[in-house]
Amino acid sequence: AWGARGYPGGMVPETGRLHSIWFRDNDRTLFDSEPDTLREIAANLAFGRRAMGAGEGRIRPMMAAHATDTQTPETMRALRTAARELGTGLHMHIAQRPTETEAVRRLWSKTPVQWMEELGLFDGPVFGAHMRALDWTVDPAILNKHAAVYVHCPSAAGAGGATQPYPEALAAGMNVNIGIDTHSNDYLENLKLAVIGGRARARILSELCDVPVRHPTVLEAIDGATRVAASGLGRDDLGRIAEGARADFATIDVSGLFFGTGSLPPEPLNNLLYCNGLAVRNVATDGRFQVFDGRLMVADQDTVRAKGDAVVRKLWRQLADEDWFST
């Protein structure tokens, strides 16, 4: 009823095991983690088999991995094999921090992107998040050759966190999608952050160094949010309004009192810089409305809020019991 469309996958290694591997003191920890990581990959592949095609075909699981510095060659090959079987691709952090690139160079004498290519991880769709520590002399050419998608997450690390190489990626001709990394789940806000933060980063870089940059526009952010993501998945029936495409769309009021002037400006998309999720008027998947004229259609709004309240209060109690608020 909610019309969810998604490519879900459990991150490997999962959060409970991740930090001891990611922030390890020596690489023995990484290699000792391999059996458990292989079991997680097998479990996620089994989930993918079970859930493939659920929700009238809208759910298509994909394999997901934390990053290249928390994998071994054996686990990377297992991810490749699983991704090939599911046929939906791979989502992972790629060169998300300098320490990741340094670790992969130390262990395998390659950048994370070069190592992935050597192991055949780019055989299908690949979405790579953050990419703050790419080697701009070699990595973009590899990513572009394989039509990989850079997932720029402008709200990563929370408000005021480090910026990401959105302007550099655009200048390098990379496929760039706009992603969400927990701080703000309002997608319109993230599109705004991508443009505003990207333009600030581009201006600073252009004044300080010779790195090629492009000042992002709202139109590029919208393109990344729609067409680029769909094409990266190999889905010509998504991300666009066209004959034969799925009827997935959202409409946004850019002329309202808080977001406009009461009439459409010459370039309506630019008004998205003043919008947020409250400006969304309609949402439909496969032509069925989940939101119509600003009101939730698939469930009673008050009931949804009450259920959400109960869940969050339970979480607060658990955190209080674990002494998170007083330490």
Side-chain angles (χ1 to χ4, degrees), residues 6-8 44-63 82-89 235:
Y7 286 70
N44 277 279
L45 174 58
F47 161 75
R49 291 168 179 157
R50 291 193 308 272
M52 186 65 70
E56 299 174 318
R58 291 187 299 271
I59 303 302
R60 303 187 182 187
M62 72 191 311
M63 296 304 295
R84 286 176 177 173
E85 179 182 330
L86 295 180
T88 47
R235 297 289 301 272

XYZ file of all heavy atoms in Angstrom, residues 6-8 44-63 82-89 235:
237
model
N 12.582 -0.133 -3.774
C 13.919 -0.056 -3.220
C 14.814 -1.206 -3.612
O 14.371 -2.238 -4.123
N 16.100 -0.995 -3.355
C 17.156 -1.980 -3.588
C 17.866 -2.240 -2.259
O 18.995 -1.812 -2.043
C 18.139 -1.450 -4.634
C 17.594 -1.484 -6.038
C 16.575 -0.638 -6.437
C 18.102 -2.380 -6.978
C 16.061 -0.670 -7.724
C 17.594 -2.426 -8.272
C 16.582 -1.562 -8.637
O 16.080 -1.605 -9.914
N 17.192 -2.914 -1.319
C 17.749 -3.048 0.033
C 18.903 -4.042 0.099
O 18.958 -5.018 -0.653
C 16.551 -3.557 0.843
C 15.731 -4.314 -0.154
C 15.872 -3.556 -1.445
N 23.082 -12.356 3.411
C 22.483 -11.287 2.617
C 22.098 -11.763 1.225
O 21.097 -11.319 0.655
C 23.431 -10.093 2.538
C 23.330 -9.203 3.759
O 22.432 -8.386 3.866
N 24.256 -9.380 4.699
N 22.875 -12.685 0.675
C 22.502 -13.270 -0.613
C 21.214 -14.068 -0.463
O 20.323 -13.986 -1.327
C 23.632 -14.159 -1.133
C 23.332 -14.950 -2.417
C 22.947 -14.026 -3.559
C 24.530 -15.823 -2.785
N 21.091 -14.811 0.629
C 19.867 -15.579 0.862
C 18.662 -14.647 1.005
O 17.576 -14.929 0.481
C 20.024 -16.441 2.120
N 18.843 -13.520 1.711
C 17.770 -12.526 1.804
C 17.392 -12.015 0.416
O 16.209 -11.869 0.084
C 18.193 -11.358 2.693
C 17.365 -10.116 2.487
C 16.076 -10.035 2.987
C 17.872 -9.046 1.771
C 15.309 -8.890 2.784
C 17.110 -7.907 1.556
C 15.822 -7.828 2.064
N 18.409 -11.728 -0.401
C 18.150 -11.228 -1.741
C 17.345 -12.196 -2.582
O 16.440 -11.788 -3.315
N 17.666 -13.464 -2.452
C 16.905 -14.476 -3.192
C 15.453 -14.513 -2.745
O 14.540 -14.617 -3.563
C 17.550 -15.849 -2.987
C 18.912 -16.032 -3.643
C 19.555 -17.303 -3.132
N 20.860 -17.556 -3.733
C 21.798 -18.311 -3.161
N 21.574 -18.878 -1.967
N 22.951 -18.501 -3.767
N 15.253 -14.441 -1.415
C 13.890 -14.529 -0.875
C 13.042 -13.315 -1.251
O 11.864 -13.445 -1.572
C 13.916 -14.659 0.652
C 14.464 -15.963 1.192
C 14.141 -16.103 2.675
N 14.528 -14.945 3.467
C 15.735 -14.782 4.023
N 16.661 -15.718 3.853
N 16.004 -13.708 4.746
N 13.640 -12.141 -1.167
C 12.858 -10.909 -1.303
C 12.811 -10.371 -2.729
O 12.071 -9.413 -2.988
C 13.424 -9.834 -0.374
N 13.571 -10.960 -3.640
C 13.614 -10.438 -4.997
C 12.222 -10.444 -5.627
O 11.544 -11.461 -5.655
C 14.574 -11.265 -5.857
C 14.794 -10.705 -7.258
S 15.617 -9.086 -7.239
C 17.279 -9.538 -6.686
N 11.800 -9.280 -6.088
C 10.509 -9.162 -6.748
C 9.346 -8.937 -5.821
O 8.197 -8.908 -6.277
N 9.585 -8.785 -4.523
C 8.482 -8.522 -3.597
C 7.851 -7.171 -3.917
O 8.411 -6.357 -4.652
C 8.978 -8.544 -2.151
N 6.674 -6.926 -3.325
C 5.996 -5.657 -3.550
C 5.678 -5.419 -5.007
O 5.943 -4.339 -5.545
N 5.127 -6.444 -5.662
C 4.750 -6.348 -7.077
C 5.944 -5.967 -7.956
O 5.815 -5.235 -8.932
C 3.613 -5.338 -7.260
C 2.348 -5.708 -6.501
C 1.289 -4.620 -6.593
O 1.641 -3.418 -6.484
O 0.115 -4.965 -6.777
N 7.124 -6.490 -7.567
C 8.325 -6.262 -8.360
C 9.108 -5.019 -8.000
O 10.180 -4.774 -8.576
N 8.610 -4.229 -7.047
C 9.297 -2.981 -6.710
C 10.538 -3.206 -5.849
O 11.427 -2.357 -5.807
C 8.332 -2.021 -5.997
C 7.240 -1.462 -6.888
C 6.427 -0.388 -6.174
N 5.761 -0.926 -4.988
C 4.566 -1.479 -5.000
N 3.892 -1.594 -6.126
N 4.018 -1.931 -3.880
N 10.609 -4.330 -5.113
C 11.745 -4.599 -4.233
C 12.726 -5.518 -4.954
O 12.384 -6.636 -5.337
C 11.279 -5.243 -2.916
C 10.255 -4.343 -2.220
C 12.465 -5.526 -2.000
C 10.759 -2.941 -1.917
N 13.936 -5.022 -5.142
C 14.989 -5.774 -5.825
C 16.277 -5.666 -5.000
O 17.074 -4.733 -5.199
C 15.214 -5.233 -7.241
C 13.956 -5.248 -8.109
C 14.256 -4.862 -9.534
N 13.056 -4.827 -10.364
C 13.060 -4.645 -11.682
N 14.209 -4.480 -12.317
N 11.920 -4.615 -12.363
N 16.493 -6.583 -4.074
C 17.664 -6.470 -3.201
C 18.977 -6.444 -3.977
O 19.106 -7.026 -5.055
C 17.566 -7.730 -2.335
C 16.106 -8.060 -2.325
C 15.626 -7.708 -3.700
N 19.936 -5.756 -3.394
C 21.283 -5.713 -3.958
C 22.281 -5.983 -2.833
O 21.944 -5.895 -1.655
C 21.563 -4.361 -4.616
C 21.757 -3.206 -3.660
S 21.759 -1.561 -4.465
C 22.897 -1.785 -5.827
N 23.487 -6.321 -3.192
C 24.535 -6.533 -2.197
C 25.087 -5.183 -1.752
O 25.147 -4.227 -2.533
C 25.645 -7.404 -2.758
C 25.206 -8.813 -3.112
S 24.443 -9.730 -1.739
C 25.842 -9.851 -0.599
N 28.032 -12.881 -5.445
C 26.653 -12.677 -4.999
C 25.963 -11.593 -5.822
O 24.797 -11.731 -6.209
C 26.634 -12.315 -3.516
N 26.685 -10.504 -6.092
C 26.102 -9.414 -6.881
C 25.776 -9.877 -8.290
O 24.752 -9.494 -8.868
C 27.062 -8.227 -6.912
N 26.632 -10.709 -8.856
C 26.352 -11.233 -10.193
C 25.103 -12.095 -10.195
O 24.303 -12.041 -11.132
C 27.548 -12.050 -10.686
C 28.759 -11.212 -11.116
C 29.926 -12.093 -11.490
N 31.073 -11.327 -11.967
C 32.266 -11.853 -12.235
N 32.480 -13.160 -12.046
N 33.256 -11.084 -12.669
N 24.928 -12.890 -9.157
C 23.744 -13.749 -9.111
C 22.466 -12.923 -9.006
O 21.495 -13.172 -9.738
C 23.808 -14.718 -7.928
C 22.560 -15.600 -7.846
C 22.555 -16.549 -6.668
O 23.641 -16.980 -6.235
O 21.461 -16.865 -6.161
N 22.454 -11.926 -8.097
C 21.253 -11.112 -7.938
C 21.018 -10.214 -9.148
O 19.872 -9.908 -9.492
C 21.345 -10.270 -6.669
C 21.369 -11.028 -5.342
C 21.464 -10.055 -4.174
C 20.143 -11.930 -5.190
N 22.105 -9.774 -9.759
C 21.994 -8.973 -10.971
C 21.596 -7.533 -10.756
O 21.285 -6.827 -11.727
N 21.604 -7.084 -9.517
C 21.156 -5.722 -9.219
C 22.297 -4.790 -8.829
O 22.076 -3.597 -8.642
C 20.117 -5.744 -8.089
O 20.602 -6.568 -7.025
C 18.788 -6.290 -8.574
N 23.497 -5.332 -8.685
C 24.636 -4.468 -8.440
C 25.126 -4.462 -7.007
O 24.759 -5.306 -6.186
N 17.878 1.024 -15.247
C 16.431 1.120 -15.291
C 16.003 2.323 -16.135
O 15.873 3.437 -15.633
C 15.854 1.240 -13.875
C 16.094 0.046 -12.958
C 15.282 -1.166 -13.367
N 13.854 -0.925 -13.369
C 13.065 -1.085 -12.289
N 13.590 -1.475 -11.141
N 11.757 -0.869 -12.375
